[in-house]
């Protein structure tokens, strides 16, 4: 090497020595600016980012796999499959969302704002359908209105019905059957949130409207309904996302939407087509969320709390019998009839020995996977909500949004991403119950986060500052100081995750190892084979367990 080259290298080294500290100081300033001069500990941040990566598995896989699905497959699906699925999915989503808004808002208005007899009891009873998974409701209505169901037998035994209307003609396996079942078991999403909004509404606005000569109906449409707009939108979004992602009720009633098509494509080992359909479904979800956020921004209404007065209670008068009949009919169709069917067939199943070792094995599998998922969710939720609340930045906002991604995705898409990642890159976990539990974590982590956030919001940041002043690192502050004070909220979130995991069907169907059937899986398969005396006890147990968090939900809303 020449003398000139050696001199040049030495000069470059000297420049690097002068430049490196300057560059480091620049990055350090930028880093502190991102965190507003309060960065979290490295361990806590790395743990949060690792959780975000796990949560992003389904989306990353679907996008990546669909990009390499091939032009021919895309064109074939766009020409033949996707238009039909779009119509089926969007029409069902629109119909169910509209009907649940009508039913949910009307029931909330009646229970909260009128003098209906037993209003406190009705408030609880009308929320019970939330504990019945729609696929369980679908099974009960097949038993009642199916081709060999109770209604058909009653119809044939009643001569005048046959003479006047002809042969039995109700077809539960149709768009209207799926629409009815999903409406009956999802309206509580709107009902609960609308009830909370009505309870908090200030009567001053109504009295001002009445003083201007408005009638009761005009006050409802021009005063109450605009103030309920955010609550109606939130409930409608929950219903829309549920219908978009539902598989159990749709497959049980043999109706085909995107989720059913994705599942059957995966069952046929055509993962490329399944990923293409999944990507379209993700776009639909994003579009719905975007439309709702835009309409919410254009319609903002505020009320002050310094002069708050409880809302008026309206007298039903001559309308009372009609209103009681309407509320009773909804309760009968969504609660009394389905649970009566389950109890009837469960008695038959128990008398025939349905509660055997096989049944308790299914229950144990459900308990094992759901408990593990609840524990992991409580473990994962704590650092995410702590980072978001105590160290707000664009990085923690990104982690928080990724953590909510799985909640907006159908279970079939989550399962599809897990199949690819674990089968190809982590085969040691593939074919174990751990992968099922991890899919539950991706699906239901936001439930644990929401409950934890509510508890953390009650704790002053000064507690953290005091602990940090004693030399505690951020992760130790979180575990030793904050966690004990917000433990009830964390446990409540874990309970919600546990119950949701027990009811989850599509992810369990696609990811369960051989011989690892859960209660939800057995309900699906036994009902498909019309072995109702074996399906009913498992379904009834799912409903009983699902009632446990109802009190928490009612307190929240």
């Amino acid at each position: 090497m020449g003398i000139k080259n050696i001199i040049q290298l030495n000069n470059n080294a000297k420049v690097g020595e002068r430049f490196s500290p300057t560059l480091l100081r620049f990055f350090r300033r930028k880093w502190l600016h991102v965190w507003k001069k309060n960065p979290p500990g490295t361990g806590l941040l790395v743990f949060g980012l690792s959780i975000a990566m796990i949560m992003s598995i389904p989306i990353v896989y679907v996008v990546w796999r669909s990009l390499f699905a091939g032009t021919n497959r895309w064109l074939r699906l766009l020409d033949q499959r996707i238009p039909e699925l779009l119509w089926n999915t969007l029409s069902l989503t629109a119909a169910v969302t509209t009907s649940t808004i009508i039913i949910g808002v009307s029931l909330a208005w009646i229970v909260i704002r009128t003098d209906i007899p037993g209003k406190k009891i009705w408030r609880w009873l009308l929320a019970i359908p939330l504990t019945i998974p729609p696929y369980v409701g679908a099974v009960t209505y097949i038993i009642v209105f199916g081709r060999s169901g109770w209604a058909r037998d009653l119809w044939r035994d009643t001569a005048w019905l046959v003479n006047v209307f002809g042969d039995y003609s109700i077809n539960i396996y149709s768009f209207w059957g799926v629409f009815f079942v999903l409406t009956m078991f999802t309206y509580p999403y709107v009902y609960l949130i609308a009830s909370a909004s009505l309870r908090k509404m200030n009567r001053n606005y109504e009295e001002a409207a009445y003083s201007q000569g408005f009638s009761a109906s005009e006050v409802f449409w021009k005063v109450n309904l605009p103030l309920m707009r955010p609550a109606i939108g939130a409930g409608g979004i929950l219903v829309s996302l549920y219908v978009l992602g539902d598989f159990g009720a749709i497959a049980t009633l043999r109706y085909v939407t995107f989720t059913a098509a994705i599942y059957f494509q995966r069952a046929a080992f055509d993962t490329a087509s399944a990923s293409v359909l999944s990507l379209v479904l993700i776009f639909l979800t994003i579009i719905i969320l975007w439309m709702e956020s835009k309409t919410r921004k254009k319609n903002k209404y505020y009320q002050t709390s310094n002069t708050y007065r409880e809302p008026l209670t309206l007298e039903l008068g001559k309308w009372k019998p009609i209103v009681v009949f309407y509320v009773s009919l909804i309760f009968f169709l969504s609660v009394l009839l389905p649970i009566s069917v389950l109890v009837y067939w469960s008695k038959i199943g128990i008398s025939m020995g349905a509660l055997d070792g096989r049944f308790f094995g299914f229950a144990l599998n459900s308990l094992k996977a759901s408990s593990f998922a609840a524990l992991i969710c409580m473990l994962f939720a704590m650092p995410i909500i702590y980072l978001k609340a105590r160290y707000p930045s664009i990085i923690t906002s990104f982690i928080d949004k990724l953590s909510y991604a799985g909640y907006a995705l159908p279970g079939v898409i989550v399962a599809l991403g897990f199949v690819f990642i674990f089968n190809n890159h982590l085969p040691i976990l593939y074919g174990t119950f751990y992968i099922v539990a991890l899919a539950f974590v991706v699906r239901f982590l936001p439930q644990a986060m929401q409950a934890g956030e509510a508890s953390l919001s009650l704790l002053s940041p000064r507690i953290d500052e005091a602990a940090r002043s004693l030399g505690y690192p951020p992760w130790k502050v979180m575990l030793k100081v904050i966690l004990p004070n917000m433990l009830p909220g964390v446990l409540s979130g874990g309970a919600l995750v546990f119950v949701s995991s027990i009811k989850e069907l599509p992810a369990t169907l696609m990811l369960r190892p051989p011989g690892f059937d859960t209660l939800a899986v057995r309900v699906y398969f036994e009902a498909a084979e019309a072995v109702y005396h074996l399906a009913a006890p498992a379904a009834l147990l799912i409903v009983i367990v699902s009632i446990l968090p109802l009190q928490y939900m009612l307190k929240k809303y």
Side-chain angles (χ1 to χ4, degrees):
M1 183 179 291
I3 297 297
K4 291 183 178 180
N5 291 335
I6 293 173
I7 294 172
Q8 184 65 35
L9 287 174
N10 288 333
N11 290 336
N12 290 340
K14 290 178 181 178
V15 171
E17 289 175 2
R18 293 196 304 269
F19 182 69
S20 294
T22 305
L23 190 63
L24 288 174
R25 284 195 296 271
F26 172 77
F27 282 121
R28 180 174 175 79
R29 284 198 303 269
K30 286 294 184 184
W31 181 253
L32 291 174
H33 177 72
V34 166
W35 298 103
K36 299 176 182 177
K37 298 183 179 181
N38 182 33
T42 304
L44 185 61
L45 180 59
V46 169
F47 191 44
L49 288 171
S50 301
I51 295 171
M53 289 177 62
I54 295 174
M55 298 300 111
S56 66
I57 285 176
I59 295 178
V60 171
Y61 164 73
V62 166
V63 174
W64 178 263
R65 190 73 178 87
S66 59
L67 289 176
F68 296 96
T71 306
N72 292 334
R73 182 176 275 105
W74 269 97
L75 291 175
R76 177 170 56 82
L77 290 172
L78 286 170
D79 286 342
Q80 302 173 6
R81 197 72 173 133
I82 291 178
E84 178 188 357
L85 293 175
L86 275 174
W87 170 251
N88 289 350
T89 303
L90 292 178
S91 60
L92 182 65
T93 302
V96 173
T97 303
T98 302
S99 61
T100 53
I101 287 175
I102 294 172
I103 293 174
V105 171
S106 62
L107 291 177
W109 179 265
I110 290 169
V111 171
I112 302 300
R113 300 300 306 275
T114 71
D115 61 344
I116 185 174
K119 58 190 305 178
K120 290 185 178 180
I121 298 176
W122 281 121
R123 178 174 171 249
W124 280 80
L125 294 179
L126 293 173
I128 291 178
L130 197 65
T131 68
I132 304 175
Y135 61 85
V136 171
V139 171
T140 62
Y141 273 98
I142 289 173
I143 293 173
V144 176
F145 293 110
R147 296 187 179 95
S148 57
W150 296 353
R152 186 183 187 91
D153 294 340
L154 179 64
W155 189 284
R156 286 179 174 176
D157 294 340
T158 308
W160 70 269
L161 287 174
V162 178
N163 293 333
V164 174
F165 299 103
D167 291 334
Y168 181 80
S169 59
I170 297 177
N171 181 18
I172 193 68
Y173 300 101
S174 63
F175 170 87
W176 295 110
V178 179
F179 161 76
F180 174 77
V181 167
L182 287 175
T183 297
M184 286 296 102
F185 300 104
T186 58
Y187 80 79
Y189 289 112
V190 180
Y191 163 73
L192 286 172
I193 301 177
S195 296
S197 178
L198 284 169
R199 284 199 302 273
K200 297 174 183 177
M201 201 169 289
N202 197 331
R203 69 189 285 181
N204 291 344
Y205 300 105
E206 298 175 34
E207 291 182 344
Y210 283 125
S211 68
Q212 298 296 319
F214 283 26
S215 65
S217 61
E218 288 176 326
V219 169
F220 175 78
W221 289 106
K222 295 183 179 181
V223 178
N224 299 128
L225 204 58
L227 290 172
M228 291 174 64
R229 164 66 185 85
I232 295 172
I237 282 295
L238 289 176
V239 173
S240 298
L241 293 178
Y242 191 96
V243 176
L244 280 179
D246 183 74
F247 169 77
I250 286 169
T252 302
L253 295 172
R254 302 172 192 173
Y255 191 75
V256 181
T257 61
F258 271 103
T259 50
I262 293 166
Y263 175 80
F264 293 123
Q265 291 285 2
R266 168 66 185 86
F269 301 101
D270 188 359
T271 55
S273 296
S275 63
V276 170
L277 297 177
S278 299
L279 187 61
V280 177
L281 187 55
I282 289 174
F283 280 141
L284 287 179
T285 302
I286 293 172
I287 290 170
I288 288 177
L289 291 172
W290 177 80
M291 289 174 59
E292 199 279 333
S293 65
K294 284 292 183 183
T295 55
R296 187 189 302 176
K297 287 181 181 178
K298 293 179 181 178
N299 296 275
K300 288 187 176 181
Y301 302 91
Y302 302 97
Q303 58 180 3
T304 57
S305 58
N306 56 347
T307 59
Y308 174 78
R309 297 165 66 198
E310 290 188 2
L312 297 166
T313 298
L314 303 177
E315 295 184 2
L316 291 172
K318 64 179 181 181
W319 297 101
K320 186 173 291 187
I322 298 174
V323 170
V324 171
F325 173 77
Y326 168 68
V327 173
S328 302
L329 179 64
I330 298 296
F331 174 71
F332 173 78
L333 294 174
S334 61
V335 178
L336 198 57
L337 181 60
I339 291 182
S340 298
V341 172
L342 292 179
V343 170
Y344 172 82
W345 276 105
S346 294
K347 286 183 177 180
I348 296 176
I350 292 171
S351 65
M352 296 175 66
L355 300 185
D356 54 8
R358 183 169 168 266
F359 174 85
F360 289 108
F362 302 148
L364 181 62
N365 290 341
S366 295
L367 178 65
K368 187 161 64 170
S370 301
S371 299
F372 188 76
L375 288 173
I376 296 297
C377 278
M378 288 188 285
L379 176 66
F380 281 8
M382 186 65 204
I384 295 175
I385 60 179
Y386 187 70
L387 282 169
K388 178 185 176 183
R390 299 299 196 249
Y391 302 97
S393 71
I394 188 173
I395 297 175
T396 51
S397 178
F398 173 75
I399 293 173
D400 180 66
K401 284 180 170 57
L402 276 183
S403 301
Y404 274 86
Y407 203 51
L409 295 177
V412 288
I413 295 180
V414 173
L416 200 61
F418 270 58
V419 167
F420 177 79
I421 295 296
F422 285 91
N423 190 31
N424 290 285
H425 303 290
L426 289 169
I428 191 171
L429 288 178
Y430 191 74
T432 67
F433 89 93
Y434 295 107
I435 190 176
V436 178
L438 285 175
F440 292 163
V441 171
V442 174
R443 289 278 288 124
F444 305 120
L445 178 63
Q447 293 183 348
M449 290 171 57
Q450 288 170 349
E453 280 184 52
S455 297
L456 184 59
S457 65
L458 302 176
L459 300 179
S460 172
R462 293 183 179 179
I463 298 176
D464 306 54
E465 295 170 3
R468 291 293 300 275
S469 68
L470 296 174
Y472 276 34
W475 68 268
K476 206 166 187 177
V477 174
M478 181 186 72
L479 292 178
K480 296 260 186 184
V481 179
I482 301 300
L483 181 58
N485 287 286
M486 55 178 292
L487 194 58
V490 174
L491 293 175
S492 297
L496 286 174
V497 172
F498 176 82
V499 172
S500 298
S501 300
I502 279 186
K503 297 189 291 184
E504 173 64 21
L505 177 61
T508 314
L509 274 174
M510 294 176 66
L511 296 174
R512 75 194 194 284
F516 191 83
D517 283 358
T518 62
L519 292 171
V521 171
R522 292 323 305 172
V523 171
Y524 175 74
F525 282 122
E526 303 290 9
E529 299 294 330
V531 189
Y532 299 128
H533 71 282
L534 295 180
L540 189 60
L541 182 58
I542 290 174
V543 173
I544 292 172
V545 172
S546 301
I547 290 176
L548 295 177
L550 183 61
Q551 183 177 4
Y552 170 82
M553 294 296 293
L554 288 176
K555 285 181 179 180
K556 183 177 180 182
Y557 294 118

